[in-house]
Amino acid sequence: MRLILHVGTHKTGTTSIQKVLHDYARYLKTYGLYYPSSLYYRGARGHLKFSHDVAKDTEQSRRNAHAFVQRIKKNANAADLTLLSSEA
């Protein structure tokens, strides 16, 4: 599985891109692109909280990030690409 990181600064349309990716996630997965639900982090369409957990590097943030990665591995199935998007 390959990973694409979409990183955009604030006010550059990143949220709009994340909304479309989130809304069409099931459709995209039929074409081999997996956009993980950020609902693992309760409510966000992007993966900002995941990027914060990676950057924070505390025991709890490492557990949160690890759990998210495990869910990605479990749910990506046969997707060729996994795409994560964040402003951070």
Side-chain angles (χ1 to χ4, degrees), residues 48-58 61 65 88:
L48 183 65
K49 292 180 182 178
F50 173 67
S51 64
H52 283 215
D53 277 339
V54 170
K56 195 183 270 185
D57 196 31
T58 65
S61 68

Side-chain angles (χ1 to χ4, degrees), residues 47 77 85:
H47 303 102
N77 300 326
S85 178

